[in-house]
Amino acid sequence: MNKFSCLFGSKYSLRQKFGQKCYSQRYGFAASLVEHLEETELQAKYKPIDRLPVKPPFVKNLFRGKFDTDFLAFPEFMPEARVELLERNAEVVRKLVDDNVDPARIDGKAAVPDELIEKLASLKLFGLMAPRSVGGAEFTHTERARIMEIVGESPSVGVLLFQNETLGHKLIAAHGDDYQKEKLLKSLITGKKYATLCFGEANCGSDATKFETQAVRSGTDWLLHGTKVWVPNADNADLFIVVAKIRLTHETPQNPYYAEEGEEPFTPEDVGFFLVERNAANVRVGPRYDTVGLRGVPMCEVTFDNVVVPDAMVLTDFFRGYDVVKRMFAEDRYAIGSIALATLKRALREAAEYSVQRRVRDVNLYQYEFAQRRLGRMALQAYAIESVIYFTTGIMDMYEGQDCEVENAIAKVFCTEAALAAVNDAMQLMGGQALLEDSSFTRYHRDLRALTLFDHHNDLYRGLIALNSLQYISAAVSETIMAKRNPLFYTMKNFRSTFTMRFMKNDEDDPHLYLRLKDNLHPSLMFLADQLEACVLRFEHAIIKTLSMLGPETVHDQMYLRRIADCASLLYTMTAVLSRASRAYCIGSENADDELVLAETFVRDSHDSFKELVNGLHYGEYYVTDHNFKRLSHRTVESKKYFLPEPYKLNY
Amino acid sequence: MAWRFIRQLQLHACRPLLMSGGSGRFISTTPIVRITESQVKKDVAIKDKYFDQDIKNKETFLELLEVFKSKNYKTGHIEFIYAALNRMEDYGVEEDLECYKQIIDVMPKGKMMSTNMWLVEFEYFPKHQDCILDVISKMETKRIQPDREMFDLLVSIFGKGASPTKKYLRMMYWLPKLKHVSPWPAPQTRTKDQKEAAVLAVKRMGSVDLESDVTVFYTKDDNLSTEDTWIVSSQSPVQKNLVKYHPENLPMYIDGPHRMHLGRKNVVDYYVLKADMPENRRRRKFRDPDEISYMKIPFFDPPTSDDIIPEFSVHEQRDGIIYAISSMGSSSKECLQSWIRFLQKNGNPKLADATIVFRCGFQEAPSDQLKLPACENEILDENERRQ
């Protein structure tokens, strides 16, 4: 298979296998934001996007040391006409943003002006991926990412669009019935109304299993009761999608400690999605939180005090609620990465301009190597972020119903944190200038900091990356782990698997490179491919070591989960960067030689940090200082303060 | 001088800790134990008359030492020091560091200094060394921490390598360390108020649960009580939750008074609100600790019944569930009843309906007046029974 052109007619017309319903774009002509364009002429050039059949998930398989080399070809699936149109659409949106969006003003006033929202709605930005039949733009993920990257110049606007779509009408489109879709979708997609998701709670955060908000069955209706916190855009929302525990009866809850005689074990309660109109009785929206970042998105507390919800306004069917919640965590999170990228690109522009203009001791700032390093690092981060976003969207668009939850979670974590680090660099470069109250850099910093926390904490996504992948491989490796944990019962098996060349070389940090990743990339990237391959192989080895050390308890050991998640993120980002650079060099795109430099820098840097992390997994307690951290944290909590005497004090 | 002090500390302090032959009660840092008292007994008796003064206080004691020093005697230092050491209790200065330093200062400077390793090895002026060792040992028994000035004093008398200096250095290494061994340092003296001791004791017992909330109630706030005393009570949210789900058909008990010693000088009586462990406590299913074939992941997977069953907390012990602990100024039944009412008001409404059995002996006298010898007698009785 030719790695550098991925446009193939699919022989199979596989329907979506995974329940993840998204708007089908199988034969949809790319919708035009530019209605007045000579549509017929363009449409004539269009070919339908032919999707390839679904592949096994990429990152999850890395945990077993399986690397699908098809992913080393950067996804390229859009017909030329569609690329051309995307560029034109991007220009239109860019013009709109340049003319109307003033991020500083939105931040200062802590609100997105209404006329801007009307203009966004007129360009169908509220329903970027919704079908045209209901007024959406019917974009692919890649196209959406591009548009979000432009709109994200003001992160508040970007987040508004993101949450209205992914956490709003997309949920209804995926899980609602015909009545709900007909009644609600159109107005949400065209931006006439807002939907918002009420998820987190004060006492349990994002843990849906511990929610205190309840929907109690009464007759044919449901009575919704509870308080949700940090509801985005709650001030303006017309429709609340509330996640609540389903209680079928009025019976008193079971005693969790003591069982009655002959009592069955627990039947845990499921969660459901309830649609509540804003003007329904007994819905109270509290005052908005005065946040530091993302000020344009008002976050509020919403209280439901026995709100009556009719049966027709319940989204999911029962006993699937947790599945929906789990999938929802990582859906389309690349879009948050796009918003971060927009801010970073803007910061990079300003920092570059500044370092040319500013003269320090008769030399321009950019001539100092301190400054060069910072500027270079910013460019590097921007490149990596961009690669990860478009690599992820490309996979999602190219393969029909591809499982990308882990990839999306990685995109969210990596993009927000890398952008934050880069803006930090920029602020150091600017010096005191960046600290001024009206400096745009403080705003970038605040917004990016908020993005790392928006829509669940990044650490939660780290958990998701590690846990979902471990769960995916658990069945396949269970036999190996059982043998490793019981060496005396499986003597020969252990003996044979330990004294092999492959095992021993891997143990010595010199794995035998049998995946041959370098055969799938441009030869000038050969050595980097080898580094990536060594990382992949060591990762698999380390995962087996960790699992055999901790057993089923791995899922509770968050020190290791963090390390696993960070390793997986590095592998994925390295793959994205390498495949992009390789493709760019092969097709000879603009400044492709710079891409090779960027790829080299990124892979070599990542390789070093990867080694540190993977050693922690490989050698476990002998290498890491986790137990010290646990102890120190315990001592701090115990004394509830800094617990050591000042060093000058005498002890007699 | 400071650097030399620390260097000496590092040189000598790492020697192994020697246990004294006698009682195993104290850790001794004495390297060699020698009894020299009998040899000097007679002479000590002569010197003893120095200390037959009418006014016995610190000033007189220090003046006596000063007088002896000013005479510049050639001999008799050892006897005088033993006499002073024996009479310290009479003058009430047995816990005064200043006096010990002055006693050591009686020894002449320079003449007995071990200046090379041979002198150190063969114990230059051994009787003098032993005498000062006894002084330092007495300090150790009384738990008096020497200070840095003493080092200069000992060096000027015996030199750096001599036994008294070594002993001093070992003490300086170990005693400060032992000072912080317990995370719950007990007060060395009797507290001014029994309540103060009770708060310390209850806090210490409650510390098994980081969330424990130690509250002081006053019975005058309780309308049904005629007493005026205090109740120190400890209960954590986990315990409140346990009370909430306590099976109605089972009784609760108040056990006590149990006794807790805080250091050498303080005794606290406390009561425990507890219940027997019900047999129908739900338990999580046993999981093979090596089987990972289907890994259930926390947070993202739907909960199973196992996730809802609370794990056994530290308050659920084999001999029962502990719901609360308290110590109070009066050991009367009325006071215990007030305690239950206070608990009821503070997040345990269930206690209103619970059956509570008092499994305790009431004492007429408030625990303030408990005398220490009483408990020592008990220990003695036990020893006798064993024999």
Side-chain angles (χ1 to χ4, degrees):
Chain A
M1 183 174 176
N2 185 349
K3 298 295 176 198
F4 304 112
S5 72
C6 304
L7 271 175
F8 284 96
S10 159
K11 271 188 272 180
Y12 322 94
S13 68
L14 281 185
R15 293 223 152 259
Q16 284 168 322
K17 268 190 176 172
F18 287 43
Q20 192 175 3
K21 285 187 201 166
C22 54
Y23 304 108
S24 164
Q25 296 106 14
R26 263 182 75 75
Y27 298 107
F29 292 110
S32 161
L33 294 178
V34 199
E35 292 289 351
H36 60 269
L37 273 175
E38 50 284 51
E39 227 173 90
T40 43
E41 187 197 323
L42 274 168
Q43 278 183 10
K45 289 196 216 159
Y46 282 167
K47 289 182 191 116
I49 291 177
D50 254 331
R51 282 150 196 277
L52 300 178
V54 64
K55 271 185 172 295
F58 175 63
V59 174
K60 286 178 179 177
N61 267 310
L62 289 182
F63 280 62
R64 293 166 64 188
K66 291 194 175 174
F67 193 104
D68 190 342
T69 45
D70 283 353
F71 285 98
L72 280 177
F74 196 82
E76 179 184 298
F77 64 97
M78 284 205 285
E80 305 113 66
R82 201 148 174 164
V83 176
E84 193 185 321
L85 191 71
L86 174 58
E87 280 310 300
R88 286 198 208 178
N89 285 335
E91 267 166 40
V92 174
V93 180
R94 163 66 61 199
K95 190 161 182 308
L96 172 92
V97 168
D98 285 348
D99 293 349
N100 298 293
V101 179
D102 181 0
R105 192 152 162 269
I106 291 175
D107 186 71
K109 295 238 163 137
V112 180
D114 287 340
E115 61 271 15
L116 173 61
I117 286 180
E118 272 169 34
K119 278 180 185 147
L120 295 173
S122 69
L123 285 186
K124 297 180 179 175
L125 295 185
F126 279 90
L128 281 173
M129 293 183 71
R132 301 195 80 190
S133 55
V134 278
E138 205 164 317
F139 273 180
T140 57
H141 289 290
T142 305
E143 285 160 335
R144 183 182 177 196
R146 178 78 185 108
I147 301 296
M148 288 300 275
E149 191 190 314
I150 300 164
V151 182
E153 294 260 314
S154 165
S156 298
V157 178
V159 164
L160 215 61
L161 297 182
F162 166 76
Q163 67 91 15
N164 186 61
E165 180 152 12
T166 298
L167 306 177
H169 60 74
K170 224 174 155 185
L171 281 173
I172 300 176
H175 305 292
D177 54 25
D178 292 342
Y179 166 76
Q180 289 160 350
K181 284 184 195 166
E182 198 175 318
K183 185 172 171 216
L184 302 166
L185 268 189
K186 183 121 192 176
S187 55
L188 292 174
I189 286 169
T190 48
K192 291 200 180 77
K193 283 183 172 180
Y194 285 126
T196 187
L197 184 73
C198 306
F199 195 76
E201 287 187 16
N203 286 344
C204 52
S206 315
D207 189 352
T209 59
K210 303 269 190 314
F211 277 175
E212 285 162 7
T213 305
Q214 290 184 339
V216 184
R217 191 72 171 157
S218 87
T220 53
D221 292 338
W222 297 89
L223 284 180
L224 198 65
H225 190 81
T227 303
K228 293 288 185 183
V229 295
W230 292 103
V231 178
N233 205 17
D235 255 0
N236 313 324
D238 304 283
L239 182 74
F240 296 111
I241 305 174
V242 189
V243 186
K245 277 245 164 109
I246 295 171
R247 289 270 307 281
L248 289 174
T249 50
H250 277 296
E251 279 170 24
T252 47
Q254 280 173 300
N255 188 328
Y257 284 95
Y258 311 110
E260 296 297 318
E261 209 166 311
E263 193 186 10
E264 293 292 305
F266 277 110
T267 42
E269 292 147 335
D270 205 62
V271 290
F273 288 65
F274 297 84
L275 302 175
V276 181
E277 306 258 6
R278 191 207 176 84
N279 48 21
N282 301 333
V283 178
R284 275 200 315 280
V285 179
R288 51 178 296 167
Y289 302 128
D290 193 10
T291 51
V292 176
L294 290 180
R295 286 172 56 78
V297 187
M299 304 270 189
C300 304
E301 192 177 283
V302 184
T303 310
F304 305 93
D305 188 10
N306 284 326
V307 179
V308 180
V309 185
D311 245 353
M313 296 293 266
V314 181
L315 262 192
T316 43
D317 40 340
F318 297 149
F319 311 118
R320 274 191 52 233
Y322 284 114
D323 289 351
V324 178
V325 168
K326 188 178 169 187
R327 240 182 286 128
M328 196 180 67
F329 266 117
E331 194 160 297
D332 296 352
R333 290 305 186 271
Y334 63 83
I336 297 181
S338 298
I339 299 168
L341 177 62
T343 307
L344 174 54
K345 279 188 173 172
R346 206 179 161 120
L348 188 55
R349 219 159 47 220
E350 283 177 32
E353 242 167 62
Y354 179 81
S355 53
V356 174
Q357 285 164 7
R358 169 103 173 127
R359 287 178 75 78
V360 184
R361 281 197 272 150
D362 291 341
V363 181
N364 288 33
L365 184 59
Y366 72 90
Q367 282 164 321
Y368 283 96
E369 287 180 10
F370 283 124
Q372 286 168 9
R373 183 162 171 279
R374 294 200 186 281
L375 282 168
R377 267 168 43 139
M378 285 173 73
L380 183 64
Q381 303 284 29
Y383 180 77
I385 292 173
E386 201 178 50
S387 314
V388 168
I389 292 169
Y390 289 104
F391 189 67
T392 313
T393 56
I395 295 173
M396 289 165 79
D397 287 330
M398 199 155 92
Y399 300 104
E400 182 105 36
Q402 179 73 9
D403 171 11
C404 277
E405 53 177 358
V406 175
E407 284 82 351
N408 265 308
I410 292 177
K412 200 268 177 178
V413 174
F414 175 76
C415 295
T416 51
E417 283 179 8
L420 184 62
V423 165
N424 216 2
D425 262 335
M427 287 176 86
Q428 292 291 332
L429 180 81
M430 306 278 288
Q433 286 292 319
L435 292 181
L436 297 177
E437 187 65 41
D438 55 347
S439 151
S440 50
F441 279 83
T442 49
R443 196 180 67 241
Y444 300 152
H445 193 264
R446 284 187 282 119
D447 281 338
L448 284 171
R449 170 51 73 201
L451 276 182
T452 61
L453 302 174
F454 171 71
D455 193 31
H456 316 303
H457 199 288
N458 269 4
D459 281 353
L460 184 80
Y461 284 99
R462 288 207 164 82
L464 189 139
I465 295 165
L467 289 170
N468 277 355
S469 311
L470 287 178
Q471 190 178 34
Y472 178 82
I473 63 159
S474 63
V477 298
S478 73
E479 223 171 283
T480 321
I481 302 302
M482 179 63 93
K484 294 233 179 238
R485 281 173 77 79
N486 296 287
L488 294 180
F489 290 142
Y490 299 88
T491 330
M492 281 320 287
K493 189 172 179 183
N494 273 317
F495 191 80
R496 278 196 212 103
S497 64
T498 306
F499 294 99
T500 56
M501 221 44 210
R502 189 181 281 183
F503 184 94
M504 291 194 304
K505 284 189 84 179
N506 207 331
D507 234 21
E508 287 157 16
D509 190 14
D510 177 28
H512 170 58
L513 306 179
Y514 59 91
L515 297 173
R516 315 268 326 151
L517 297 191
K518 60 183 166 194
D519 294 356
N520 298 278
L521 290 168
H522 190 274
S524 50
L525 294 167
M526 190 163 69
F527 296 110
L528 302 178
D530 280 350
Q531 284 198 329
L532 172 63
E533 186 171 346
C535 288
V536 172
L537 293 170
R538 283 212 73 199
F539 183 54
E540 180 226 1
H541 196 68
I543 288 288
I544 295 289
K545 282 232 165 184
T546 308
L547 282 176
S548 47
M549 181 171 64
L550 299 172
E553 285 304 300
T554 318
V555 296
H556 299 298
D557 202 322
Q558 286 154 9
M559 297 275 191
Y560 284 88
L561 291 183
R562 180 193 67 85
R563 225 167 262 131
I564 291 173
D566 285 351
C567 280
S569 303
L570 283 175
L571 289 180
Y572 183 64
T573 42
M574 279 195 270
T575 312
V577 165
L578 275 183
S579 75
R580 174 179 174 189
S582 171
R583 171 180 177 270
Y585 201 64
C586 289
I587 64 174
S589 74
E590 193 186 346
N591 296 336
D593 46 344
D594 290 334
E595 297 206 20
L596 288 192
V597 173
L598 285 163
E600 188 201 343
T601 325
F602 186 79
V603 173
R604 278 176 54 181
D605 280 2
S606 307
H607 180 254
D608 287 352
S609 35
F610 182 89
K611 247 187 170 174
E612 189 62 27
L613 287 165
V614 91
N615 278 343
L617 292 174
H618 190 130
Y619 301 113
E621 291 289 301
Y622 304 109
Y623 187 83
V624 295
T625 48
D626 290 350
H627 46 286
N628 293 355
F629 282 109
K630 285 179 195 170
R631 176 188 159 138
L632 292 177
S633 129
H634 182 76
R635 297 285 295 123
T636 311
V637 172
E638 217 176 31
S639 49
K640 296 190 181 67
K641 59 174 199 253
Y642 176 72
F643 51 89
L644 295 164
E646 287 75 15
Y648 60 79
K649 280 194 177 155
L650 302 176
N651 188 26
Y652 52 84
Chain B
M1 210 55 205
W3 65 270
R4 184 172 293 173
F5 172 78
I6 291 172
R7 191 165 152 270
Q8 288 297 311
L9 202 60
Q10 285 166 350
L11 272 178
H12 294 290
C14 322
R15 301 280 171 81
L17 189 71
L18 294 173
M19 305 296 288
S20 69
S23 68
R25 211 163 151 200
F26 302 112
I27 295 171
S28 168
T29 45
T30 315
I32 308 152
V33 179
R34 256 184 313 228
I35 307 297
T36 52
E37 267 176 65
S38 60
Q39 299 159 14
V40 288
K41 216 172 208 171
K42 203 176 124 201
D43 301 329
V44 170
I46 299 166
K47 299 284 183 207
D48 201 44
K49 66 178 186 293
Y50 268 91
F51 295 92
D52 293 335
Q53 304 291 334
D54 295 336
I55 307 164
K56 291 194 171 69
N57 57 20
K58 188 178 167 185
E59 282 75 47
T60 331
F61 189 80
L62 290 177
E63 207 163 312
L64 285 170
L65 298 179
E66 207 50 55
V67 168
F68 185 86
K69 271 188 265 181
S70 64
K71 297 277 167 73
N72 284 327
Y73 289 122
K74 297 279 181 195
T75 58
H77 299 98
I78 298 177
E79 292 77 6
F80 180 77
I81 286 176
Y82 274 123
L85 213 54
N86 290 341
R87 299 295 289 271
M88 281 183 101
E89 280 80 2
D90 295 354
Y91 286 77
V93 290
E94 75 273 19
E95 292 189 356
D96 195 303
L97 174 65
E98 175 62 21
C99 293
Y100 284 100
K101 281 200 293 194
Q102 291 302 326
I103 290 175
I104 295 171
D105 199 30
V106 166
M107 285 288 184
K109 314 288 177 307
K111 186 178 168 56
M112 299 182 287
M113 202 183 289
S114 316
T115 45
N116 57 51
M117 59 179 281
W118 297 103
L119 290 180
V120 168
E121 200 59 25
F122 289 104
E123 301 266 330
Y124 199 37
F125 287 89
K127 285 184 185 172
H128 291 77
Q129 293 202 7
D130 286 347
C131 170
I132 295 303
L133 273 179
D134 282 343
V135 175
I136 304 179
S137 300
K138 180 162 181 174
M139 286 174 68
E140 193 182 1
T141 329
K142 298 282 176 195
R143 298 196 175 177
I144 298 161
Q145 175 75 49
D147 65 358
R148 204 182 282 192
E149 203 188 326
M150 223 171 116
F151 178 71
D152 303 336
L153 199 57
L154 290 169
V155 169
S156 65
I157 300 168
F158 294 115
K160 271 188 299 186
S163 309
T165 322
K166 278 191 205 161
K167 159 99 180 150
Y168 162 85
L169 286 169
R170 284 173 198 161
M171 265 169 80
M172 285 302 268
Y173 183 76
W174 286 106
L175 293 192
K177 248 181 208 60
L178 298 175
K179 210 156 83 180
H180 297 294
V181 159
S182 164
W184 297 99
Q188 288 300 313
T189 53
R190 185 83 186 257
T191 51
K192 272 182 282 171
D193 186 2
Q194 179 66 13
K195 189 173 87 183
E196 209 177 298
V199 169
L200 285 175
V202 171
K203 264 193 186 164
R204 179 172 178 170
M205 286 187 282
S207 70
V208 291
D209 187 337
L210 283 179
E211 288 179 280
S212 283
D213 181 21
V214 176
T215 329
V216 183
F217 301 118
Y218 294 95
T219 43
K220 61 185 174 209
D221 300 338
D222 181 18
N223 302 332
L224 297 171
S225 170
T226 54
E227 283 179 287
D228 181 12
T229 184
W230 44 265
I231 302 169
V232 185
S233 164
S234 162
Q235 198 185 29
S236 76
V238 179
Q239 283 170 312
K240 281 182 187 166
N241 207 26
L242 281 163
V243 171
K244 186 176 157 194
Y245 289 109
H246 175 77
E248 272 146 25
N249 53 350
L250 293 180
M252 292 185 193
Y253 303 103
I254 295 184
D255 274 9
H258 302 295
R259 186 156 288 176
M260 180 178 181
H261 289 257
L262 269 186
R264 293 178 178 185
K265 302 283 169 69
N266 292 288
V267 175
V268 175
D269 278 1
Y270 66 93
Y271 293 87
V272 180
L273 177 65
K274 62 192 289 193
D276 292 335
M277 175 62 88
E279 284 166 9
N280 56 349
R281 173 69 160 87
R282 290 178 200 267
R283 279 158 203 278
R284 296 184 177 189
K285 272 185 223 122
F286 172 74
R287 292 248 177 80
D288 185 350
D290 300 325
E291 179 60 61
I292 61 156
S293 64
Y294 179 75
M295 207 177 248
K296 209 187 92 47
I297 54 179
F299 210 91
F300 299 106
D301 271 352
T304 59
S305 60
D306 270 5
D307 297 328
I308 304 172
I309 298 172
E311 280 192 81
F312 278 76
S313 64
V314 69
H315 307 291
E316 293 170 88
Q317 296 294 336
R318 201 169 290 173
D319 63 335
I321 309 169
I322 293 153
Y323 291 137
I325 294 179
S326 79
S327 174
M328 41 197 83
S330 143
S331 303
S332 64
K333 188 171 180 177
E334 195 180 322
C335 197
L336 288 172
Q337 283 168 334
S338 306
W339 176 42
I340 299 299
R341 281 193 289 274
F342 280 124
L343 284 182
Q344 193 184 318
K345 267 184 232 160
N346 283 276
N348 303 289
K350 183 97 183 253
L351 286 178
D353 314 325
T355 319
I356 299 174
V357 181
F358 288 73
R359 278 201 305 208
C360 42
F362 303 109
Q363 283 161 1
E364 292 307 315
S367 55
D368 279 65
Q369 292 162 19
L370 281 175
K371 293 262 163 57
L372 266 173
C375 62
E376 278 179 3
N377 284 342
E378 280 169 27
I379 297 167
L380 279 179
D381 290 348
E382 211 167 89
N383 288 343
E384 277 167 22
R385 253 178 277 135
R386 270 188 215 148
Q387 286 162 3

